[in-house]
Amino acid sequence: GAPATREGGRFRALATPPDTDGTFAVGITAADRSGNVGVAELVFFRDGTGPEVSEITVENSVSAGGVQWVGSTPAKLVVVAGDGAGVGSVTVQGIDGPVTLQAKGDRFEGHVALGAAASEVWVTATDSVGNASTKAVWVGVDTTPPACELEALADAGWTRTAGVTLIGTAIDAEGGGVTVRPNGPGVSGAALGLEATGDFSVPAVLGGEGDAAVSVWCEDALGNGAPSNNIVVHFDKTPPTVVPVAPPAGGVVAYPTGTLGFRVDDASPVLWATAGSVGDPATSATQGAALWTAVLPIRRNEPGVEFRAGERSRLVTVRSTLPDPGTAGAAAVDRSAAFRALAESAALEGVAWLTLGQ
């Protein structure tokens, strides 16, 4: 043991414990001039180690790429720290300087201002005897919506069904998950969650016939969202309207070869039209400013002429003409009312019947 030095009515001695943390006992012996001896023991705990920071959590964050991303700043940090001597304080270095967290048991909580870019945020825990330890966590602020690009539909966006499939790419700068859902006036469809950014395919339902500006709404896990680009979808489930006009000039049909004409009206672009005597191969019609026309052989006792037209959304309408044997040499006459029942029973789409004269 080390001898004590007298300081007034007190004695002081320097005792050096082992250089390790732990509990130690020091024996103290005192003797008077008569040889009487007194013994005492002092037990103490040596602590030279800072607190253990076991957990750092950023509330309402999303972890991606080793970074805890939050959608706004300041962010709430929760630190779990423990120490045998008791944790005295926990501070976090924010962009505005150190912030002392509030103690709640072994948890320490507080709001810390963060920078826009991902960076290391250092946490310092100090125990009751002044030992300190530090630990860092990567935190970033993400307020940017995912970048979404929607591809144009095939066939220039023309469709005859309300259900379409939207295809595109959603990229989140931080690499987290993205949710996409159909978007646009009258457009509906279930949201699709992507675990990682990349290509997607999501079903959508159009509200009604006509042109619709369709997009997808893309949102990351932090709630940052924005629409993609718009694509135009042409929804047309109504077949073309075909009106025979024979001949187009309003006169009689020539014999043995005559020009027959018909008008095609439709919301979709008309891709093709044909005309032909019943039972004969169809002849391609030529589109003019007002009418489609076809040059056909005209027979006596003509059994009838069929006009057909196909539109962009792949619907086809058939219109037929039928000669009236009692009016040879007369001009063409519309007989659609007389043959309406026959048209409905044959399940033809709006068949019009026309008398041909020669």
Side-chain angles (χ1 to χ4, degrees):
T5 59
R6 185 172 184 137
E7 296 180 359
R10 306 177 64 182
F11 292 85
R12 178 187 296 272
L14 180 63
T16 304
D19 191 20
T20 57
D21 291 351
T23 302
F24 301 93
V26 177
I28 302 173
T29 303
D32 60 17
R33 291 180 181 275
S34 300
N36 300 308
V37 177
V39 177
E41 184 179 68
L42 174 65
V43 178
F44 66 91
F45 179 80
R46 182 189 185 279
D47 179 13
T49 304
E52 179 187 3
V53 179
S54 58
E55 183 179 338
I56 304 174
T57 303
V58 184
E59 284 198 351
N60 300 320
S61 66
V62 175
S63 181
V67 179
Q68 295 190 48
W69 293 99
V70 293
S72 62
T73 182
K76 183 179 180 180
L77 268 68
V78 178
V79 177
V80 178
D83 189 85
V87 179
S89 66
V90 173
T91 60
V92 179
Q93 185 65 37
I95 60 173
D96 296 332
V99 177
T100 300
L101 305 186
Q102 183 180 0
K104 294 185 177 180
D106 64 344
R107 295 161 58 92
F108 295 81
E109 302 177 358
H111 288 81
V112 181
L114 304 170
S119 60
E120 281 187 304
V121 174
W122 286 92
V123 175
T124 301
T126 305
D127 64 18
S128 58
V129 295
N131 300 307
S133 61
T134 59
K135 189 173 183 177
V137 60
W138 278 89
V139 183
V141 180
D142 177 18
T143 58
T144 304
C148 284
E149 184 71 22
L150 196 58
E151 297 180 7
L153 296 182
D155 202 19
W158 291 97
T159 177
R160 61 179 297 184
T161 60
V164 295
T165 299
L166 305 178
I167 298 174
T169 303
I171 302 296
D172 186 58
E174 315 314 335
V178 176
T179 298
V180 298
R181 68 174 182 272
N183 184 56
V187 179
S188 60
L192 173 67
L194 307 175
E195 293 184 1
T197 59
D199 297 337
F200 64 82
S201 174
V202 60
V205 179
L206 305 174
E209 288 191 76
D211 294 347
V214 179
S215 64
V216 291
W217 180 266
C218 295
E219 188 171 299
D220 63 19
L222 294 172
N224 302 310
S228 71
N229 59 304
N230 286 329
I231 63 171
V232 177
V233 180
H234 313 280
F235 177 24
D236 178 17
K237 63 179 181 180
T238 303
T241 299
V242 180
V243 180
V245 179
V252 298
V253 179
Y255 176 83
T257 300
T259 299
L260 301 182
F262 54 101
R263 191 178 73 249
V264 181
D265 298 319
D266 195 75
S268 302
V270 178
L271 297 183
W272 57 266
T274 63
S277 298
V278 176
D280 290 345
T283 298
S284 295
T286 301
Q287 184 176 17
L291 299 176
W292 291 75
T293 58
V295 179
L296 301 176
I298 304 299
R299 299 185 297 238
R300 298 186 183 279
N301 300 318
E302 173 66 57
V305 177
E306 289 183 341
F307 300 94
R308 296 176 178 266
E311 47 145 86
R312 191 59 176 266
S313 57
R314 297 186 174 86
L315 293 175
V316 177
T317 293
V318 179
R319 292 285 192 269
S320 295
T321 65
L322 187 70
D324 185 343
T327 58
V333 178
D334 188 351
R335 291 174 53 86
S336 58
F339 289 89
R340 190 181 305 279
L342 177 60
E344 292 175 353
S345 65
L348 295 175
E349 190 67 40
V351 174
W353 300 89
L354 194 67
T355 298
L356 294 180
Q358 300 183 35

